[in-house]
Amino acid sequence: MLVSVVIPCYNSEKTIGMVADQCMESFSQWDGYECEMVLVNDHSRDHTYEEILKCRERYPGRITAVNFPKNFGQHAAILAGLQYARGELVVGMDDDLQNRPEQIRQFLDKMEEGYDVVFGIYKQRKFSPLKNLFGKISQFLLFHLVDRPKGVEMSSFWCARDYVIREVRKYHGNDAFVQMLFARTTDNMTDIQVEHYAREYGRSNYTFRKGLKLFMTFMDYSSIPLRVSNVLGTIFSITGFVATIVLIVRKILDPTIQTGWSSLMCLILIVSGMLFLMLGIIGEYIGKLVNTSNGKPLYVIREVREASDETPEASTPAAGGGRSAATEPEARP
């Protein structure tokens, strides 16, 4: 069985070579499995792409190198890599050695039980306390805002079947969240516990701004915020109507009651704040629709060096996302 390992790479010149070596060594010890790797350079500022090309030289015919002309983000890089994944099973993992290739065997064994997608959940997350806190908050919100199987956690370390990957390739939006695309495709998923290792080099490339931008992509997969807007609007309207009746009745019963401006101003501020919040949510949805309708690409490929030399146009640049047909494997020769 061929297993494709897709890795988005960003500023990982010190680690990506070790990840490739460990991956190839691990698969050489497992009977019945072959490995190919798709390494996507997300416009790194160091020599990551040069290291990826060195990996191709060490393992000829086993590694596909994809190069972006600008930074499009982790999930866009994953989707680009999925276009070139040929395996019956596809594994997604990070490039920083916080996931270890030898752990992939746990996913393969779990997939034999018939699951379509398996996520690796960390026993103890080796991130900073602040990032761990934000991670728990985002997991809680996503659990309640997005339709997904209950009790299944998601992570960037996963394994999926080829039919799931084929459906994910059809995505034409411009804000990708791969785990949400899995949830949109199948409910037959589970998770397993894996070890999370400390970062050996550098620091996380996810800033608070990037993390927030990624979290906000859930709007592409859920209309719950719009429903919340309707509910809050109804609640505020009813509350205002009831409060008005109460004030009128109290004034009739006791004409000496003083009506103050402070309470009125507080009410105006609260209602106005909620209105602006709801308008902002609606604006986010409209902005996403505009970006999709005008064909904004999810990613653009500058260069591809495929593992197999059978593809005659292996180095043809392509655009991804939006309405471009170049994102579909069927569109390539």
Side-chain angles (χ1 to χ4, degrees):
M1 179 182 291
L2 179 63
V3 179
S4 300
V5 180
V6 177
I7 303 179
C9 307
Y10 184 68
N11 294 344
S12 56
E13 64 175 348
K14 295 182 179 180
T15 57
I16 191 58
M18 289 187 285
V19 173
D21 292 339
Q22 292 180 19
C23 194
M24 294 300 178
E25 181 181 357
S26 295
F27 271 90
S28 68
Q29 301 171 7
W30 302 336
D31 294 333
Y33 292 103
E34 287 186 61
C35 172
E36 70 162 10
M37 301 186 72
V38 183
L39 306 180
V40 184
N41 176 44
D42 192 14
H43 196 63
S44 301
R45 292 173 292 180
D46 57 10
H47 301 288
T48 296
Y49 190 58
E50 287 78 358
E51 291 297 321
I52 292 174
L53 296 182
K54 291 178 182 178
C55 293
R56 290 188 77 251
E57 294 176 0
R58 290 200 300 274
Y59 305 103
R62 305 283 294 279
I63 295 179
T64 294
V66 181
N67 193 26
F68 282 179
K70 62 177 292 187
N71 183 262
F72 288 96
Q74 179 187 23
H75 288 257
I78 294 173
L79 280 182
L82 295 182
Q83 310 305 323
Y84 299 92
R86 302 171 299 169
E88 296 176 54
L89 297 177
V90 179
V91 173
M93 60 184 297
D94 294 333
D95 60 346
D96 52 12
L97 286 175
Q98 290 193 274
N99 311 139
R100 296 295 170 87
E102 59 264 25
Q103 297 173 312
I104 293 176
R105 186 56 195 251
Q106 298 175 240
F107 292 84
L108 302 180
D109 292 340
K110 195 67 177 179
M111 292 293 284
E112 291 181 358
E113 299 180 17
Y115 291 103
D116 294 329
V117 182
V118 176
F119 293 101
I121 305 304
Y122 307 125
K123 300 176 182 178
Q124 183 177 0
R125 292 162 58 92
K126 299 297 179 64
F127 295 128
S128 66
L130 186 61
K131 189 171 182 179
N132 283 333
L133 175 62
F134 285 130
K136 290 183 179 297
I137 293 174
S138 62
Q139 282 282 353
F140 174 81
L141 292 175
L142 287 175
F143 188 85
H144 292 85
L145 292 175
V146 178
D147 182 22
R148 67 177 188 175
K150 302 302 180 184
V152 176
E153 296 185 40
M154 297 180 177
S155 73
S156 58
F157 198 6
W158 48 263
C159 180
R161 296 192 183 278
D162 56 349
Y163 95 87
V164 177
I165 300 303
R166 288 198 300 270
E167 289 301 314
V168 171
R169 287 173 181 156
K170 297 176 183 179
Y171 178 70
H172 289 298
N174 50 69
D175 284 319
F177 200 139
V178 175
Q179 289 83 347
M180 295 298 101
L181 292 172
F182 290 160
R184 194 170 67 175
T185 303
T186 179
D187 283 338
N188 186 26
M189 54 178 65
T190 188
D191 49 49
I192 58 175
Q193 282 198 340
V194 296
E195 190 72 27
H196 194 223
Y197 296 89
R199 183 181 294 273
E200 296 191 11
Y201 300 97
R203 60 181 183 178
S204 174
N205 294 305
Y206 261 109
T207 62
F208 175 78
R209 178 174 173 271
K210 289 182 178 180
L212 180 61
K213 182 180 179 181
L214 174 62
F215 172 76
M216 293 303 292
T217 60
F218 82 89
M219 289 185 176
D220 282 29
Y221 312 97
S222 173
S223 60
I224 291 179
L226 292 175
R227 298 173 188 170
V228 172
S229 302
N230 290 332
V231 173
L232 289 178
T234 302
I235 292 175
F236 273 91
S237 298
I238 294 175
T239 302
F241 181 73
V242 172
T244 301
I245 294 177
V246 171
L247 289 174
I248 292 174
V249 171
R250 290 185 62 193
K251 190 66 175 177
I252 292 174
L253 296 177
D254 186 2
T256 62
I257 292 179
Q258 297 293 323
T259 54
W261 285 101
S262 57
S263 58
L264 180 61
M265 291 303 297
C266 289
L267 183 61
I268 290 176
L269 289 173
I270 293 174
V271 174
S272 299
M274 292 302 302
L275 287 175
F276 278 111
L277 175 62
M278 297 305 112
L279 287 174
I281 292 175
I282 295 172
E284 284 284 338
Y285 278 100
I286 294 175
K288 292 176 183 296
L289 290 173
V290 169
N291 285 334
T292 301
S293 64
N294 66 19
K296 177 184 176 183
L298 177 60
Y299 58 81
V300 175
I301 295 177
R302 179 178 183 178
E303 178 185 17
V304 178
R305 300 192 185 186
E306 294 195 54
S308 172
D309 294 328
E310 298 174 359
T311 304
E313 296 184 24
S315 297
T316 301
R323 299 293 177 183
S324 172
T327 60
E328 298 294 336
E330 293 77 11
R332 298 188 291 112

